[in-house]
Amino acid sequence: MSQGKLQKLIIRCFKDEKFNEELPQLKYTALLNPEKYSFSLKTEYKEDQAQGTSSDDLKFIRSIPEDLDLEFLFDRTGVIVHYGDDPKSSSDDNVYKDKGNGIIDDLEAFKKAVYDYNGDTHKPNYLKILWGSLTFPCLLTSMDIEYKLFKPDGTPIRAMVKAKFKKFIEKEKRAKEQNDQSPDLTHYRVVKAGDSLPLMTHRIYGDPKYYLEVARVNNISNFRKLTIGQELFFPPLQKQS
């Protein structure tokens, strides 16, 4: 059995959806590794009445990107053994040094990494959660903070954060994964050079005549002017006779 060095869960932050532009100053390292983590997977169906029956027939639309639930402990009570770059106390007792404001700075650093609005990109950061075999590119969707212990003056010194992350797949990769030609499925496509809406509609539905419906659901006023890199939504359509 391997006796390797303890590996901490880390969250790396990126500016771009391709995860090329990392923000190393925002990297978060968990105080303690989680006791557990859980995934939530969902599929989306549309209810249609089956022909000749009074019951509903469920038609598959898409698989929704999975969710990851994690809990993070923040503690400045002095009971957690020092690790990483956090300074030790002057007494060299190998515990976290209390800077006077409890866990406020720790929580703010965590929020800045996973939650706060990035002024350069005008959106929160893209995240990559790494721990052992877990590699999860994602975005934060919710975060609940529960404060548990306090100093006599009310300064919080322990908190538990429950966070939910949704898996993120960048547009081009998602388009390739959803490259199913069935007209009964939901499709996302990225406009490339030479593409037109009737041509893209023909690829999906086998007939270009649905282009006006696709233009409507995408709020396209001029279907002749598509933008390269633009992502279009192709809904499941009932074929017209």
Side-chain angles (χ1 to χ4, degrees):
M1 182 176 178
S2 173
Q3 298 294 325
K5 182 180 178 181
L6 175 66
Q7 182 178 353
K8 293 288 187 176
L9 181 147
I10 63 172
I11 302 178
R12 296 169 60 191
C13 305
F14 298 82
K15 292 175 63 175
D16 65 311
E17 65 176 28
K18 294 182 180 293
F19 296 89
N20 291 326
E21 298 182 59
E22 186 171 1
L23 302 167
Q25 73 278 13
L26 296 181
K27 185 178 78 171
Y28 171 77
T29 302
L31 176 59
L32 294 178
N33 283 331
E35 295 182 356
K36 63 179 181 179
Y37 58 84
S38 61
F39 290 106
S40 176
L41 296 89
K42 298 178 182 179
T43 53
E44 186 176 330
Y45 291 88
K46 177 182 178 183
E47 290 188 2
D48 287 327
Q49 185 171 332
Q51 186 175 4
T53 72
S54 60
S55 61
D56 288 334
D57 181 28
L58 294 179
K59 288 191 175 183
F60 174 77
I61 296 178
R62 61 170 178 160
S63 295
I64 299 173
E66 60 201 88
D67 292 327
L68 170 64
D69 292 327
L70 277 169
E71 294 186 357
F72 300 91
L73 174 67
F74 293 82
D75 189 291
R76 289 283 176 176
T77 62
V79 301
I80 304 297
V81 175
H82 163 78
Y83 81 91
D85 298 327
D86 194 82
K88 297 181 181 180
S89 65
S90 58
S91 60
D92 198 26
D93 55 7
N94 215 36
V95 299
Y96 273 106
K97 180 180 179 181
D98 184 3
K99 301 175 183 179
N101 59 353
I103 56 172
I104 298 300
D105 286 348
D106 300 331
L107 283 171
E108 286 301 315
F110 180 75
K111 288 169 62 179
K112 187 174 182 180
V114 305
Y115 171 78
D116 285 357
Y117 181 87
N118 187 316
D120 293 335
T121 60
H122 309 294
K123 63 180 69 175
N125 296 316
Y126 296 93
L127 310 172
K128 188 172 288 187
I129 299 175
L130 304 167
W131 185 41
S133 60
L134 175 65
T135 300
F136 195 75
C138 58
L139 293 166
L140 177 77
T141 57
S142 67
M143 180 173 68
D144 297 317
I145 305 173
E146 181 181 6
Y147 297 94
K148 291 179 172 289
L149 291 177
F150 305 86
K151 291 182 179 182
D153 64 0
T155 301
I157 54 176
R158 178 178 292 170
M160 182 66 70
V161 172
K162 295 181 179 180
K164 183 182 292 290
F165 303 88
K166 184 168 289 290
K167 189 172 185 179
F168 180 82
I169 303 174
E170 57 102 358
K171 294 178 182 178
E172 291 183 4
K173 184 176 180 181
R174 185 167 72 244
K176 290 179 181 178
E177 290 182 354
Q178 295 177 339
N179 188 24
D180 192 312
Q181 298 306 310
S182 171
D184 297 325
L185 300 182
T186 296
H187 302 265
Y188 292 88
R189 292 292 185 272
V190 177
V191 177
K192 298 179 181 179
D195 280 342
S196 68
L197 197 54
L199 177 60
M200 297 177 74
T201 304
H202 176 74
R203 291 173 185 158
I204 298 294
Y205 305 114
D207 196 320
K209 66 185 178 184
Y210 299 99
Y211 73 92
L212 289 177
E213 176 65 15
V214 174
R216 184 187 66 80
V217 298
N218 286 276
N219 296 316
I220 297 174
S221 58
N222 188 344
F223 71 89
R224 293 183 177 85
K225 291 185 178 181
L226 300 181
T227 303
I228 295 177
Q230 178 182 5
E231 185 179 50
L232 299 180
F233 168 65
F234 292 81
L237 296 177
Q238 295 293 330
K239 284 194 172 182
Q240 303 170 5
S241 58

